[in-house]
Structures are given as C-alpha cells and as structure tokens.
Amino acid sequence: MHGIFLKLYVSQTAKHGGKLLHEWLLEEARAIGVPGGSAFRSVAGYGRHGRLHEEHFFELAGDLPMTVEFFADETLIGSLLERLRVEKISLFYIKLPVEGGTTASF
C-alpha cells in the first residue's frame, strides 16, 4: 500500500479545546478516517526556538517534545492538515510518500 507518512511535532503540555494536543490530534484523525496513529514522548530535544528540553528523574511534569505520527492515503492526510489550518494550530511537520504493508504469516 502506498500512502503518506505524517509526523507532527508538539509540546507535551500543549492543549487545544481543553484537551492535550496530542490526544486531540489522535481523536481528530480517527474521526476523519485515518486508520491509525501514534504519539511518542521524547527524552530530550530542541526545536525552532533553540531551547533544549530534557527529562530529569525528579521532574513530575515537564514540557518535553512529542511526535504524533500517521500513515494514510493522501486525501486523509490532506484532510487532517486542513483541519489544523481551520483550527489555527501551527505545528512543524514532516510529510513523506511511503510504502507500507504487513509481513507474511509464517
């Protein structure tokens, strides 16, 4: 199956509509028919503002970077990006054409 891989970069504590932004993204993608998505928390990172964020043992709640990833056809990924535009959510993203599939059963 050929499709689009979309990776969005968000802050762990960012919110939209009263929800954590990564949760909102997953719910919106599911609602428009994207077949699956995942959110991953980083242990360290920096972005366009150049500020380094790191996970420390004693931190209870940090502001670490996260990625939210999807694989779907171009129409669905386009719909998700359009939804972000309508909601005025500004995020950095990577969008790549990819091939996906499953391994054979043994």
Side-chain angles (χ1 to χ4, degrees), residues 12 39-43 55 64-67:
Q12 177 182 358
F40 301 94
R41 187 176 61 136
S42 301
V43 295
E55 183 175 44
L64 293 169
M66 293 187 70
T67 59

Side-chain angles (χ1 to χ4, degrees), residues 3 16 20 40 42 93 100 102:
H16 182 72
L20 290 171
F40 301 94
S42 301
Y93 69 90
T102 58

Side-chain angles (χ1 to χ4, degrees), residues 3 32 47 52-53 56-57 62 66 71 78 81 85 97 102:
I32 64 171
L52 182 64
H53 299 272
H56 298 286
F57 181 74
M66 293 187 70
F71 173 67
L81 289 172
R85 188 191 68 73
T102 58

Side-chain angles (χ1 to χ4, degrees), residues 10 15 18 23 26 51 58 75 89 99 101-102:
V10 302
K15 291 189 175 186
E23 292 174 351
L26 292 169
R51 217 172 58 229
F58 294 108
T75 302
I89 299 171
E99 180 180 337
T102 58

